[in-house]
Amino acid sequence: MIGLVLTLLSIAGAWLATRRSLGHGLGAVLLVGYFYGILRARFPDGFSHFMFDGAVAGLYLAILLRRKRKMRYGHDGQVLRLWVRVLMVWPLFTMVLSPLFDSQHFFIQLVGLRVAILLLPLIAIGAQLTGEEVDSLGDWVLGLNLVAFLFALLELRLGVEAFFPRNAVTYLIYMSNDVGAERALRIPAIFNTGHAYGGTMLLSLPLLVRRWQRRPSSRVLTAVALVASLLGIFLCAARSPVVQLLGILGLVVLVVGLSWRMLASIAGLAVVVGFIVLSSPRFQRFLSLEDTDYVTERVSWSVNTSMLDVLTQYPLGNGLGSAGGTSIPFFLMDLARPQHGLENEFGRIAMEQGLIGLVLWVLFLGWLFTRLPPRRKGGSLVAERMMWATVLVVWGTAIIGTGLLSSIPGTALLLLWMGIVVGTRRPAPVARAVVVKPSPPAPSGGLALEAR
């Protein structure tokens, strides 16, 4: 029953934090998402599977119940909200069509529906965030990343087994024993897999860069968090986040006019992180990418076999929960039919939502990347461009991996960045006209200003 208590606390905590501010509400959701893996591993009673869902539900409930903020939406903001509705409605429609083909059990489809639509409203929420709310979220992420790195160091010292007991929930953690000649385990820190750890650290970098720019008084602390987050990307021993990191940095250099001070800061971080990575083989699993034959074969298999075969065999999809990227809870495994193992997120979408669902996502992403965030005064341009580059690179590499829309809490960060990318296109609020009207006679003979 501890899992039920944790889920109820997640709902209440996210709801109360969101009533204080949207930035703190999102921070509370991330708090649950960060500790989701280790808590679920230690309390695998079934209810703990819904902790993160409960936190997201508490966030949504608080937003719906509080008074709506008066905000101006430009054309892009209106289009974004329409896209989110379409992307949420289509999976529901495919669920209605599922009796037409040999699909998964109803409960398994509900799990697939959770992956398909639960977090999508975060895109619209991201577009509404103010600068102060994003800064509040950055404070949460800084602290959480440092805590995660501390756990990762302890796991290096004491072993993963000291924090994650062997059970049905931790099956993937103990299957990932492919680090070095000694076949060591990947480091999950407090997440449910090492890949979730590395991916979350990667997606959190734009917030830390923004904090470094906007909080000069605490740059030392932010720099420590940046180094810890970058080391986490290598320490987790997943290769995809390393490739994505290099792609993001390359795009940022190309699309942002970096100052010499910023370039020097990047170079300094690179030297520190590079020295530590090269000093220990535990950080160097990504070097296996030097095997170009293996990489070529892996990419070819993911793109050609996964995608083209799915589109040919299942043009209307095979129902929600039928692809390998959907995480089926252990207590529903006896209801699940064999899933189609895919190493391509677009292939997973095509498998579950059909060709129409895939086309909708491709069109949405194409619209999303039409323009860069505009140049504006202030110290967050690099962070905004980095969010854009992060979203582009992560989706661009989705052809060689799956789990992009089911990672906890990485998916939440990705969708928020997608919304913020559109939110930066929002035009500045138009000042209301100020009309000068004669005031009643007064001893001072002054004029009263009345705003209409």
Side-chain angles (χ1 to χ4, degrees), residues 20 29 40 42 55 116 127 136 155 191 231 253 366 380 383 397 434 436:
R20 180 181 177 187
V29 170
R40 183 168 168 245
R42 303 195 70 86
S136 296
E155 288 166 10
F191 299 84
L231 289 176
V253 171
S380 60
T397 54
V434 177
V436 179

Side-chain angles (χ1 to χ4, degrees), residues 140-152:
W140 281 82
V141 166
L142 179 141
L144 289 171
N145 283 14
L146 290 175
V147 170
F149 186 65
L150 175 61
F151 271 85

Side-chain angles (χ1 to χ4, degrees), residues 147-347:
V147 170
F149 186 65
L150 175 61
F151 271 85
L153 293 179
L154 291 174
E155 288 166 10
L156 275 179
R157 177 67 176 173
L158 304 176
V160 175
E161 296 84 353
F163 300 89
F164 290 85
R166 291 179 181 266
N167 53 44
V169 173
T170 60
Y171 173 78
L172 287 178
I173 291 178
Y174 288 98
M175 283 289 292
S176 303
N177 56 340
D178 53 3
V179 182
E182 67 276 14
R183 309 295 294 178
L185 293 172
R186 301 183 191 181
I187 297 296
I190 51 178
F191 299 84
N192 54 357
T193 64
H195 202 288
Y197 174 34
T200 302
M201 294 302 100
L202 177 80
L203 288 162
S204 69
L205 292 179
L207 269 185
L208 296 178
V209 170
R210 176 187 173 91
R211 193 180 191 278
W212 189 88
Q213 293 180 283
R214 292 171 63 90
R215 302 281 183 86
S217 60
S218 60
R219 279 184 175 173
V220 173
L221 179 61
T222 305
V224 171
L226 276 168
V227 171
S229 303
L230 290 168
L231 289 176
I233 294 173
F234 294 92
L235 182 56
C236 74
R239 293 170 294 198
S240 297
V242 177
V243 175
Q244 291 165 340
L245 174 64
L246 296 177
I248 292 167
L249 293 177
L251 267 181
V252 169
V253 171
L254 288 175
V255 302
V256 181
L258 298 177
S259 65
W260 285 108
R261 180 178 296 180
M262 179 62 70
L263 288 173
S265 300
I266 294 175
L269 286 174
V271 169
V272 173
V273 173
F275 177 79
I276 298 174
V277 168
L278 294 177
S279 66
S280 172
R282 198 63 176 79
F283 293 82
Q284 299 174 19
R285 182 173 178 264
F286 70 96
L287 293 178
S288 61
L289 294 173
E290 293 178 347
D291 186 349
T292 56
D293 292 337
Y294 166 77
V295 173
T296 302
E297 181 181 358
R298 172 65 180 272
V299 173
S300 176
W301 182 82
S302 296
V303 176
N304 297 329
T305 304
S306 299
M307 176 63 73
L308 298 182
D309 287 359
V310 167
L311 292 176
T312 302
Q313 298 177 25
Y314 307 100
L316 297 178
N318 195 38
L320 300 176
S322 60
T326 302
S327 177
I328 304 298
F330 70 93
F331 52 86
L332 294 179
M333 288 300 296
D334 58 330
L335 300 178
R337 298 178 181 179
Q339 292 185 314
H340 299 264
L342 298 174
E343 289 292 334
N344 184 329
E345 187 67 19
F346 293 102

Side-chain angles (χ1 to χ4, degrees), residues 90-91 94-95 101 108-109 111-113 115-116 310 314 316-327 339 342 346-355 357:
W90 177 250
T94 61
M95 192 171 179
F101 38 81
I108 304 300
Q109 292 190 64
V111 174
L113 196 65
V115 173
V310 167
Y314 307 100
L316 297 178
N318 195 38
L320 300 176
S322 60
T326 302
S327 177
Q339 292 185 314
L342 298 174
F346 293 102
R348 186 200 65 79
I349 294 173
M351 171 67 74
E352 296 194 352
Q353 302 184 30
L355 179 60

Side-chain angles (χ1 to χ4, degrees), residues 10-29 55-69 125 129 133 136 140:
S10 299
I11 297 172
W15 179 68
L16 291 173
T18 307
R19 291 190 62 184
R20 180 181 177 187
S21 80
L22 187 51
H24 288 297
L26 290 169
V29 170
V56 174
L59 172 77
Y60 293 165
L61 181 63
I63 292 175
L64 290 174
L65 292 180
R66 72 178 185 173
R67 291 189 301 177
K68 295 183 179 179
R69 296 183 296 183
I125 291 173
L129 292 176
E133 290 166 343
S136 296
W140 281 82

Side-chain angles (χ1 to χ4, degrees), residues 338-397:
Q339 292 185 314
H340 299 264
L342 298 174
E343 289 292 334
N344 184 329
E345 187 67 19
F346 293 102
R348 186 200 65 79
I349 294 173
M351 171 67 74
E352 296 194 352
Q353 302 184 30
L355 179 60
I356 294 177
L358 176 63
V359 169
L360 289 175
W361 268 102
V362 171
L363 290 177
F364 169 60
L365 293 173
W367 171 80
L368 185 70
F369 298 125
T370 53
R371 282 186 286 154
L372 287 169
R375 292 189 177 276
R376 63 179 70 213
K377 294 181 179 180
S380 60
L381 173 63
V382 175
E384 292 173 356
R385 295 288 177 93
M386 192 172 183
M387 287 181 185
W388 177 88
T390 299
V391 174
L392 178 59
V393 169
V394 170
W395 273 107
T397 54

